Amino acid sequence: MSAPDAETSALLEKALAEGLELIGKARDAPSLEDARVRSLGRKASLARARSSLGRMPEVQRRSLGAIATSVQRRLEEAYRSRKEAFDALNLEKRWQEERIDVTLPGENPPVGGLHPLTKTIWEIVDIFIGMGYRVAEGPEVELASYNFDALNTPYEHPSRSPSDTYYMDGQDENVLLRPHTSPVQIRAMETQEPPVYIVCPGRTYRRDEIDATHMNTFAQIEGLAVDEGVTMADLKGTLGKFARTLFGKDLDVRLRPSFFPFTEPSAEMDVECFVCRGNGCRVCKQEGWIELLGCGMVDPFVLEWVGYDVEKYSGFAFGLGAERAASLAHGVSDLRYFYENDIRFLQTFRGVS
Ligand code: PHE
């Protein structure tokens, strides 16, 4: 062997020994990659030995070339088996980490529910929808003309006083936060001819001292039926059906005379106490009856205001507080609970409809 042959052959032996050692010492995928570059890469001893082959005569080139190829194979083989071992290890680790036991019971994400007031409002609205009514809505910031004038409420009426109603600044008492949803009915009648059968749920505002039975922000559900030949009997039949659907189908209802500027005659509807059935208890304050809503036959003044023919059409209207209805239906003693957002209170209504 000539000197360059011996040198190349030694270089190849060294490349093999060093490469095997590097690959053998690699402890993880990155260090194995490093070992691959250093033993099989373009700058490795093996590559340098190969490049010197080109300058040799044919015979040596063949024999040393064969050795170089076998060195390369052995290094590649060592690399591959190491790599497979690391990959398998890695896979095993991932199996452990990402293991999912499909037989475990799932975690239930917390599910919210509708607010008890919303539920009550929907329940009430649903009863009227079942009787052929549709929902009408209107603005919470309302004109005094819709809220009072159209509803036959004269300027001197106490409800028009700023001590009762919230007025918007700088509007000369012409714009207000509506204290009832009755103006929605005026707006609805303005846009259509009878027959009108609507329920008007919505937020309302009154300058009231807040206590267990009063809020300054609350919700109302009012309703209106205008058609040919509507009488007080229709009012009693419809509202009686409503009250019994909400509280119990065998409960009695009664009408007591009352007064509202926009209805004539006017009445309050009471429902027999659903707790004591008329005997007197804490819920009905020993009355045996629970006041549920205000109602009456629509005053012709109102029908005329919207341009209806009062010779042809008549109607009845009613209104009730959603908080009051909800508190009666669920035995809640203080209306403020509905607005405190105490999750413990709200959770007691989960699933209750
Ligand atoms: N608007 C009345 C109120 O807020 C309720 C009502 C509506 C009474 C319709 C009679 C007829 O108290």
Side-chain angles (χ1 to χ4, degrees):
M1 239 189 212
S2 65
D5 299 353
E7 223 175 85
T8 305
S9 146
L11 196 57
L12 283 171
E13 265 175 49
K14 190 167 154 253
L16 178 63
E18 279 180 2
L20 289 176
E21 192 186 344
L22 275 173
I23 291 168
K25 277 205 307 210
R27 284 288 157 260
D28 51 24
S31 60
L32 179 63
E33 176 58 15
D34 185 53
R36 187 189 66 79
V37 171
R38 284 167 65 186
S39 57
L40 286 156
R42 275 187 296 127
K43 291 182 185 155
S45 308
L46 176 62
R48 274 191 287 126
R50 267 191 186 291
S51 67
S52 65
L53 292 182
R55 297 185 292 273
M56 289 181 189
E58 168 97 37
V59 188
Q60 285 98 325
R61 193 166 69 225
R62 275 179 184 251
S63 67
L64 285 171
I67 297 173
T69 303
S70 92
V71 167
Q72 174 152 357
R73 290 223 175 102
R74 286 189 61 186
L75 288 177
E76 280 174 353
E77 182 51 40
Y79 166 76
R80 206 175 309 118
S81 74
R82 269 320 260 166
K83 176 129 178 42
E84 274 166 16
F86 284 141
D87 286 351
L89 212 66
N90 212 1
L91 198 64
E92 181 58 27
K93 213 171 122 211
R94 280 187 56 197
W95 271 116
Q96 293 302 335
E97 281 172 5
E98 296 173 18
R99 186 191 186 103
I100 296 171
D101 183 347
V102 292
T103 64
L104 283 176
E107 275 174 40
N108 286 333
V111 178
L114 288 177
H115 191 279
L117 259 183
T118 308
K119 280 188 185 169
T120 303
I121 292 170
W122 286 16
E123 207 181 331
I124 292 172
V125 165
D126 255 9
I127 296 172
F128 284 99
I129 288 189
M131 294 194 273
Y133 286 62
R134 70 175 178 86
V135 174
E137 287 178 307
E140 289 177 25
V141 176
E142 186 52 282
L143 296 172
S145 56
Y146 280 107
N147 191 79
F148 292 127
D149 301 332
L151 288 157
N152 195 29
T153 311
Y155 191 70
E156 324 74 59
H157 195 278
S159 68
R160 293 189 77 140
S161 149
S163 63
D164 274 29
T165 292
Y166 293 106
Y167 287 95
M168 305 308 272
D169 283 347
Q171 304 287 334
D172 288 336
E173 296 186 10
N174 284 323
V175 185
L176 45 79
L177 286 178
R178 66 181 181 192
H180 54 181
T181 56
S182 307
V184 179
Q185 303 167 31
I186 302 296
R187 288 176 177 276
M189 285 191 284
E190 266 189 349
T191 60
Q192 71 166 104
E193 281 295 308
V196 178
Y197 290 91
I198 52 170
V199 255
C200 315
R203 183 158 287 178
T204 45
Y205 307 84
R206 282 181 201 180
R207 210 183 268 281
D208 246 335
E209 208 61 60
I210 294 174
D211 61 26
T213 53
H214 295 88
M215 303 292 294
N216 65 358
T217 302
F218 56 107
Q220 265 199 340
I221 300 150
E222 295 208 356
L224 173 75
V226 182
D227 207 339
E228 283 181 51
V230 174
T231 68
M232 196 89 184
D234 297 309
L235 177 154
K236 192 172 183 198
T238 305
L239 299 182
K241 166 110 174 93
F242 156 66
R244 283 188 288 262
T245 310
L246 196 60
F247 293 112
K249 61 177 182 310
D250 48 354
L251 292 173
D252 216 353
V253 292
R254 73 175 184 191
L255 291 173
R256 268 184 301 116
S258 183
F259 175 80
F260 298 101
F262 34 87
T263 45
E264 183 59 35
S266 303
E268 303 280 347
M269 178 170 267
D270 296 339
V271 57
E272 194 185 353
C273 178
F274 52 89
V275 176
C276 66
R277 303 262 155 174
N279 293 327
C281 69
R282 218 160 45 95
V283 171
C284 62
K285 303 201 180 73
Q286 310 306 327
E287 292 284 331
W289 295 89
I290 291 171
E291 185 183 313
L292 183 60
L293 52 81
C295 57
M297 298 307 290
V298 181
D299 195 304
F301 175 96
V302 177
L303 299 178
E304 263 170 6
W305 181 280
V306 296
Y308 283 0
D309 180 351
V310 293
E311 297 299 322
K312 196 169 168 196
Y313 298 116
S314 56
F316 67 83
F318 60 90
L320 71 156
E323 289 77 4
R324 193 176 148 68
S327 72
L328 288 173
H330 300 297
V332 176
S333 57
D334 192 322
L335 299 187
R336 286 170 291 195
Y337 287 136
F338 288 118
Y339 288 94
E340 282 171 351
N341 268 341
D342 184 332
I343 199 79
R344 293 166 303 179
F345 171 76
L346 297 174
Q347 270 170 344
T348 62
F349 293 92
R350 234 191 331 215
V352 177
S353 64

